[in-house]
Amino acid sequence: MTQSTINLLDIVALTVDLPEYNLYRGQVGTVVELLAGGAAFEVEFSDACGGLRRSNGRTYESVGLRPEQIMVLHFEPASPDSVPEMVTA
């Protein structure tokens, strides 16, 4: 799987199901904290009112995740010169 560097406030999607948190593959959240020097990330999941605009949405879950559990979403075309970073589990 390819993965770009994950940064604070990146919009990410789950790549795995986390039924213990009622979260499933494809759900979208925002990175709100870098943990363990960037080895893990606190991701906040908000309802549609917050959405990608980060307005007055209600947070329904906030959970620490490993890089292989999320992927960064991109809203602009990738540069032809960019080289994806490989992540291994």
Side-chain angles (χ1 to χ4, degrees), residues 35-48:
L35 306 172
F41 308 91
E42 185 75 19
V43 178
E44 183 178 280
F45 296 87
S46 300
D47 61 22

Side-chain angles (χ1 to χ4, degrees), residues 13 29 37 68 75:
E68 63 270 14
F75 298 96

Side-chain angles (χ1 to χ4, degrees), residues 34-79:
L34 303 178
L35 306 172
F41 308 91
E42 185 75 19
V43 178
E44 183 178 280
F45 296 87
S46 300
D47 61 22
C49 293
L52 301 178
R53 294 188 183 92
R54 306 259 320 140
S55 59
N56 295 323
R58 180 184 58 86
T59 298
Y60 59 86
E61 193 63 70
S62 185
V63 63
L65 299 169
R66 297 181 312 275
E68 63 270 14
Q69 294 176 298
I70 55 178
M71 64 180 289
V72 176
L73 299 181
H74 300 278
F75 298 96
E76 296 182 14
S79 166

Side-chain angles (χ1 to χ4, degrees), residues 3-40:
Q3 177 100 15
S4 62
T5 302
I6 300 170
N7 297 298
L8 190 63
L9 301 180
D10 276 349
I11 306 300
V12 296
L14 283 175
T15 59
V16 296
D17 291 337
L18 299 172
E20 64 274 25
Y21 296 105
N22 201 29
L23 296 170
Y24 296 91
R25 188 176 145 202
Q27 283 186 271
V28 175
T30 303
V31 176
V32 295
E33 187 80 35
L34 303 178
L35 306 172

